[in-house]
Each structure stands twice: as C-alpha cells, then as structure tokens.
Amino acid sequence: MNGYQHKFVIQANNPEDWLFDLSDGGETVHQFTWPVGPYEKNECSDTIYHAGEQVGYHEHRKGIETFLIANGSVDVTIRGKHTIAKCGDIIFLAPYTSHAFTYLEEGTIWRECFQEINMSGGIINKHTVKKNYGDLYFDPEFRPRYLAATKNMERLPPVNVTEVTREELPEIRTPEFGFSTFHYDGIELRQKVGRWETNGVREVWQAILKKGVRIAWNDPYGEPEVYLVSKGSIRLSVMDQEYVVGKDTFINIPPYVKREIEVLSDDTEIFDLGCSACMLEMQEDMASAKVNQPELLKDAAAKKAFMQKYGCYITAIDYR
C-alpha cells in the first residue's frame, strides 16, 4: 500500500530500527516500540547493563513488567527471596512486587515488555532531569516527589533474605516453564504469563515451531500485536511486503493488518508478548469440544467462529 508508514520488523541489533538510544553511563536503552492503547501495552525495549550495575529494592504501584534475559545473568531479589536468573529466563513482575537486581556480566541484555507503565516516558524524563538539573535527581528532598510522579516506591533492602532456586521463585519463568503446554503438528505452545496476572489484558506465549509451519491471519482484527523471534527464522508476508526475519527481532503488527508467517528453520522460537486472545480458554475448550462436540471442529466455518469467540483470528495453520 503506497504511503503506509509503519515499521513491521524491528531488529534489536540494528540502530536504524530504534526509536531512541539513551545512555547515562551505567545503562543504555534501545527503544523499539511505544506503548499503545488504553492499557499502554506492547512497549518493548532493550536495556544493556555494565557488570555490577544495580537496581535498588523497590516496587511499582502501577504497571506490569515482563523481562527476558537475552544475554548474561542477573542477581535477583524478589519479595525477600534471592536467586540467580540466567539467560533465557523470563521475569514477570506485577504491581507491588518488591524487587532488586544486580547485573553480573558485562553487556547483560535486559529485554523488556511493559503494560500500563509508559517506561519510555519515564526514561526520557529521567534523562531530561539529569541533563537539566544535574545532581538534583539524587537529592533526598526532590527524589520522593520524582518517584511519586513515576508511581515508584523505594524500599529498604530486606534483612532476612531466603535463598531459593530460580525454579522455586514464581516470578521467574525458565525456558522450559509453561503454566500450560499444548502440542499440535509442528507446534509446541507454552503459556509464560497468564491473563489472571495482567488484569485480564493479555497473555504471553512461547511457541516452538518446526520448519514448514505456516500461519495466516486474514480476517479483520482490531488489536495490535507484538512478537519476538528469539531463535531460528521465518518468512513474514505483510501489507504486500515480504521479510526474512531472524533471531532478536520484534514483529510489530497494528490493528486490521493481514499477515502470514512461514517457518524457515526447525526449533524456531517466537514469543507472543501481547496476546489479546484468550488462548488458554480457547485451547482448553477446543480439547473438550473434540471429545464432546467432534462435529463442531470438522466444519471449517464453525471452527473459525469457535476460535473468534475467544479473540483468535488465525485463519489458516498448516505444516508442510
């Protein structure tokens, strides 16, 4: 479509794809997408930390944070429990979840997806304060006012810290973790974040895909979507354009846009970071329907209507 301006493919390692790049010496932020909609969802960025950089013990009164460690390892304290999170882990933080981090390796990549927090605006404000007012950012009289405006609350570090494995800390989702796991031809789906954790706004799913899987969305759908290709490669067809998409790449889809993907390599991994569809409910009910109403899913039109009832607008899936 001539004149349609939208960046569908955002490579995390390509500066030309970033919305902005800000550094304050200890950390560097590469912003990929702005928050969208009334719930400010699908805001994605990378923060790259130097070894030894720390985020003090604090919590957020508002906003939901989802972090993927794309490189390095992180010393984590959450709700007074301590462990080491590793590359490939997801860390999920709801409001009022106290947490602190120390980044253990040079160049740790803290890959972020936010909801209801507008972190990009906060980052820009922080850099503006530091640029215009210098050390005022750390002034003990100014800092409480600044944090109140950002809905952050600093906490005293916990005295009695409990050592746990990362598998024992519910906020950490290891690469193998799934609240629920479903298998289809060429596809394994793992639920990483539940709708009950996001005020009903979204889910996060990890898809492990075999070469030859093809998925199309050709019916009108009014929600924005954002995906992360973290391993392997796919072919993306969208708005009469075609891209070969490799690892460390975000796919940013606005409402009412047809698209199709074809998986080009085995064990390709894609995260659906802003899933608006009620995928868990749909897959559970579909499994029940196969037993109790098998005729329902044999009819293509009835099956499509069944899926759309849950907000899933996939129109074709095949595995060649």
Side-chain angles (χ1 to χ4, degrees), residues 6-11 17 236 243-245 249-252:
H6 183 84
K7 189 174 283 293
F8 297 107
V9 174
I10 301 165
Q11 300 174 81
D17 288 345
L236 169 69
Y243 308 86
V244 173
V245 179
T249 303
F250 291 85
I251 300 172
N252 187 28

Side-chain angles (χ1 to χ4, degrees), residues 66-287:
T66 307
F67 303 118
L68 171 65
I69 303 175
N71 184 60
S73 57
V74 182
D75 184 293
V76 172
T77 301
I78 299 175
R79 297 182 295 103
K81 296 180 173 61
H82 173 261
T83 193
I84 304 297
K86 300 180 180 180
C87 184
D89 287 348
I90 285 176
I91 299 175
F92 175 83
L93 298 171
Y96 294 99
T97 304
S98 50
H99 54 281
F101 305 122
T102 299
Y103 300 91
L104 300 176
E105 300 177 40
E106 188 67 22
T108 294
I109 300 176
W110 195 239
R111 189 152 286 162
E112 305 151 328
C113 185
F114 300 106
Q115 175 190 323
E116 299 174 76
I117 196 169
N118 195 351
M119 184 62 76
S120 55
I123 290 168
I124 292 170
N125 285 341
K126 179 176 77 170
H127 282 261
T128 302
V129 168
K130 286 185 174 181
K131 179 179 179 180
N132 290 331
Y133 302 102
D135 292 338
L136 183 66
Y137 178 77
F138 302 102
D139 184 271
E141 293 185 3
F142 172 76
R143 190 157 179 80
R145 287 191 288 124
Y146 175 81
L147 291 174
T150 61
K151 304 296 189 296
N152 285 350
M153 181 169 60
E154 289 183 328
R155 298 278 306 279
L156 293 173
V159 176
N160 299 314
V161 176
T162 303
E163 298 291 334
V164 297
T165 66
R166 66 198 227 280
E167 291 83 1
E168 293 176 303
L169 194 53
E171 287 80 6
I172 296 180
R173 285 84 198 260
T174 63
E176 302 78 18
F177 170 85
F179 282 117
S180 298
T181 301
F182 298 88
H183 294 89
Y184 305 96
D185 287 344
I187 303 173
E188 179 178 328
L189 294 178
R190 301 172 187 159
Q191 187 180 35
K192 312 300 280 193
V193 174
R195 188 168 294 274
W196 60 91
E197 299 181 296
T198 66
N199 299 324
V201 171
R202 64 187 176 100
E203 303 170 10
V204 175
W205 289 83
Q206 174 192 28
I208 311 297
L209 305 163
K210 296 297 184 183
K211 181 180 178 180
V213 169
R214 186 183 67 87
I215 307 173
W217 295 259
N218 288 321
D219 281 352
Y221 180 51
E223 291 288 337
E225 299 289 343
V226 63
Y227 308 97
L228 168 65
V229 179
S230 53
K231 295 178 183 176
S233 61
I234 65 170
R235 179 179 291 108
L236 169 69
S237 301
V238 56
M239 298 292 289
D240 301 321
Q241 302 173 59
E242 190 169 285
Y243 308 86
V244 173
V245 179
K247 69 185 293 289
D248 297 322
T249 303
F250 291 85
I251 300 172
N252 187 28
I253 304 293
Y256 301 113
V257 169
K258 294 181 179 181
R259 71 269 193 192
E260 181 178 314
I261 67 169
E262 180 185 357
V263 180
L264 301 179
S265 58
D266 278 335
D267 299 322
T268 289
E269 180 181 74
I270 300 176
F271 287 94
D272 186 346
L273 296 171
C275 179
S276 298
C278 296
M279 290 294 290
L280 178 60
E281 289 182 9
M282 186 194 77
Q283 291 174 102
E284 288 180 338
D285 290 354
M286 188 175 289

